[in-house]
Amino acid sequence: MSRTSRPVSRRVQIRRRRVTVGILAVLAAAVIAVVAVVASDLNGIHRSDIAMPSASPGVAQNTGEVNILVMGLDSRVDQDGKPFPQEIYDAIHAEDESVGGYNTNVLMFIHISANGGKAVGISIPRDDYVDYANAPDGVTKGKIKEDYGRTFQATYDELTGNGTDDATAYQRARDAARQAQIQTVSSFLGGVRIDHFVEVTMAAFYRVAQAVQPITVCLNQATADTFSGANFAAGMQQIDAAQAMAFVRQRRDTQYENVDLTDLDRTRRQQAFMISLAVKLKSAQTFTDFGAMRSLIDTAKQYVAIDQGFDLLSLASTAQRLAGGDITFQTLPVERFGTIDGESVNIVDQDKIAGIVRDLLNPPSATAAPTDAPNDAATDAPRSPSDGGDGSSPSPSGSPTSQSYTNSQQPMVSGAVPCVN
C-alpha cells in the first residue's frame, strides 16, 4: 500500500519515544501579517468552533487586551489527519505518520496589552505535572502536554463506538481536545482569559522556515546531537529549514562533554527562533515576495487551525509591532524534576505560577523605577560569542545581535537575534 493511501492510525501514543520533536509554535508575524495583504486568500484556513475560557472570578483582566494560546503538536499528520508529503518527513527527521501522537509539545501564552505596552510570551514547559480541567477518560492529573491527546483519544473512541463516521469523529475529537487543553492551560495559569488559539504542526514550522530561509541564529557553544540531527558551530550562523528543525528540537548533546542541554533549553531555542524569524520577516521584505507569500498562505490552510472568532486581519498592525521587537519571552519555573507513575515530570508550584502570570499580565506603570538586574546578570551580560563584542555586531544577514542567554529563566527580549545554549 502506498504512503498516501495507507490509513492513519488514530491511536494516541502517550508514552513517547526519545526522538519526540518539540515544535516551534509558528505565530510570530508569519500567518497574521500575510493576511494583512491577502486576507481573502485565507478563507480555507481550518477554524474550530469551540468556547474560549473567560477569566475566573477575581482575576484581573483589562478590556481591550488579547490573550492567544499557541499550541504546537507533535502529530505527523495535517488538520484532516492526512500524512505529510514524504519530503517533509525526510527533512525533519520525524519518521512517518504512524509515529507520534497529539501531545502539545509547545504551549506558549501570548499576552498583548491594550495600551500599546510590551507584549509578553509565556512558555509553559511541556512536562509540567498539572490538574486536567476535564479529566479525560477519568485521568485527573498528568503532563500538561498530554491533555490534548488523552481527550482526543477518549472522544474519538466514544464517537466511533456510537457509529459516527471516521472523518466526522476525527474532527469532533480534535475540537474536544483543543477545548480541553485550552481550559487546562487557563486554569493552570491562574484562571486567565484566553481569547484565541493558534494550533500548528511540525509541517507548518518547516514550511514557514522554507519560505523565508536562510534564518540567522546564534549559539553560545558548538553542539551536535544525533537524535535531532543538530550539528552547529558556536556563534552567529545562517541555517536552512531542515537545520531549523534540528535547532528547535535539540534537547541533548551527543558529542561535546561540556555541553549539558535540557528540555528547558529547547524551550529557550524555540523562543530564540521565533525572535530570529520575526527579525528576518521584518528586514527581508518577505511580504513583497509573491512566492514566499503564496507558500505561507498555503501553509496556513493545510497545517494551521484557529478559533472561529479569530479576526486575523484586525491583528495585522499588532503583529508588525511585535515583529519590531515589542515582545518579551519568559519560561515558567520548575521547582524540581520527579517521577510519577513511572513518568518523568516537572514538579511545579501552582500558586507561584499563578502569581508570576498575574504580575506579567498586570505590570507596574511605565513610570515606575526599573527593578534590579537578576543575580545572573554578570553571566548573561550583552555579548556576542562569535566575536566577544558588545552585543551589537551585525549578523551574516545584517541584523544586530542582542544579549547572550545562558539561563533559561531569564526573560528574553525581542528585536535582535539572541544567542542561546
Side-chain angles (χ1 to χ4, degrees):
M1 184 177 294
S2 68
R3 175 174 304 281
T4 55
S5 62
R6 185 168 63 194
V8 177
S9 171
R10 306 299 192 206
R11 179 58 54 184
V12 174
Q13 297 183 6
I14 296 296
R15 192 179 297 273
R16 300 287 296 117
R17 296 174 58 184
R18 288 182 62 81
V19 293
T20 300
V21 177
I23 311 307
L24 171 68
V26 186
L27 174 66
V31 174
I32 297 178
V34 167
V35 297
V37 183
V38 279
S40 62
D41 228 349
L42 277 181
N43 290 333
I45 194 170
H46 187 96
R47 290 183 178 269
S48 185
D49 190 13
I50 62 176
M52 304 302 293
S54 57
S56 298
V59 176
Q61 183 75 59
N62 297 322
T63 302
E65 296 178 337
V66 179
N67 296 330
I68 304 169
L69 180 64
V70 182
M71 301 186 291
L73 297 187
D74 71 348
S75 65
R76 272 72 162 169
V77 295
D78 66 14
Q79 293 296 337
D80 294 319
K82 297 178 181 178
F84 301 152
Q86 180 61 39
E87 51 111 354
I88 293 184
Y89 292 119
D90 293 340
I92 65 180
H93 301 277
E95 301 179 62
D96 60 23
E97 73 274 16
S98 66
V99 178
Y102 292 85
N103 289 336
T104 50
N105 273 353
V106 171
L107 288 168
M108 186 177 292
F109 179 85
I110 307 291
H111 173 73
I112 302 172
S113 62
N115 58 5
K118 263 194 176 294
V120 61
I122 303 173
S123 290
I124 305 168
R126 62 180 187 160
D127 290 337
D128 284 3
Y129 192 73
V130 305
D131 294 319
Y132 290 152
N134 64 320
D137 209 19
V139 179
T140 59
K141 290 178 174 289
K143 296 180 182 181
I144 195 167
K145 69 178 182 181
E146 294 178 354
D147 194 9
Y148 191 114
R150 291 182 185 276
T151 302
F152 169 84
Q153 195 64 61
T155 306
Y156 179 82
D157 288 346
E158 179 181 1
L159 289 171
T160 54
N162 291 333
T164 303
D165 67 274
D166 183 81
T168 301
Y170 181 80
Q171 293 300 337
R172 289 182 181 175
R174 291 288 293 266
D175 281 347
R178 292 166 184 137
Q179 182 94 63
Q181 184 72 75
I182 293 168
Q183 186 59 60
T184 289
V185 170
S186 171
S187 299
F188 176 63
L189 297 183
V192 299
R193 190 183 79 213
I194 298 179
D195 303 296
H196 305 292
F197 80 86
V198 178
E199 176 189 294
V200 298
T201 65
M202 64 182 69
F205 164 72
Y206 178 69
R207 289 302 195 203
V208 168
Q210 247 188 344
V212 300
Q213 63 184 346
I215 299 169
T216 303
V217 298
C218 184
L219 286 167
N220 291 321
Q221 67 273 308
T223 180
D225 170 35
T226 56
F227 289 87
S228 64
N231 187 8
F232 301 110
M236 302 294 298
Q237 55 209 284
Q238 290 187 316
I239 60 177
D240 61 22
Q243 291 172 313
M245 282 301 306
F247 181 85
V248 299
R249 64 182 289 225
Q250 184 183 4
R251 60 187 173 96
R252 63 173 71 80
D253 188 289
T254 58
Q255 180 171 330
Y256 299 92
E257 294 183 359
N258 63 331
V259 178
D260 183 20
L261 301 177
T262 70
D263 217 33
L264 296 180
D265 291 304
R266 174 161 61 178
T267 298
R268 178 48 47 107
R269 293 272 195 98
Q270 293 162 358
Q271 295 169 347
F273 192 88
M274 183 175 284
I275 291 173
S276 293
L277 177 61
V279 169
K280 176 63 182 284
L281 290 172
K282 182 173 183 290
S283 64
Q285 298 182 348
T286 302
F287 303 115
T288 63
D289 182 334
F290 180 79
M293 292 277 288
R294 182 74 264 163
S295 177
L296 291 172
I297 294 167
D298 291 343
T299 293
K301 289 181 178 181
Q302 190 169 7
Y303 300 120
V304 174
I306 59 177
D307 57 279
Q308 194 68 252
F310 201 168
D311 181 5
L312 294 173
L313 185 57
S314 69
L315 285 181
S317 60
T318 299
Q320 292 169 355
R321 176 168 60 85
L322 300 187
D326 234 358
I327 184 168
T328 298
F329 292 95
Q330 186 153 329
T331 303
L332 292 177
V334 172
E335 298 302 306
R336 66 184 188 278
F337 302 109
T339 302
I340 298 178
D341 295 333
E343 292 284 325
S344 297
V345 300
N346 300 332
I347 306 300
V348 296
D349 185 327
Q350 172 73 68
D351 292 336
K352 178 190 288 188
I353 285 174
I356 290 171
V357 174
R358 180 179 62 249
D359 292 343
L360 288 172
L361 268 57
N362 300 277
S365 65
T367 57
T371 58
D372 292 335
N375 292 333
D376 56 27
T379 59
D380 283 338
R383 63 185 175 89
S384 174
S386 59
D387 64 1
D390 63 1
S392 61
S393 58
S395 71
S397 65
S399 300
T401 60
S402 60
Q403 271 181 264
S404 174
Y405 297 88
T406 59
N407 180 349
S408 62
Q409 298 300 311
Q410 184 187 11
M412 178 178 285
V413 181
S414 65
V417 176
C419 293
V420 295
N421 291 339

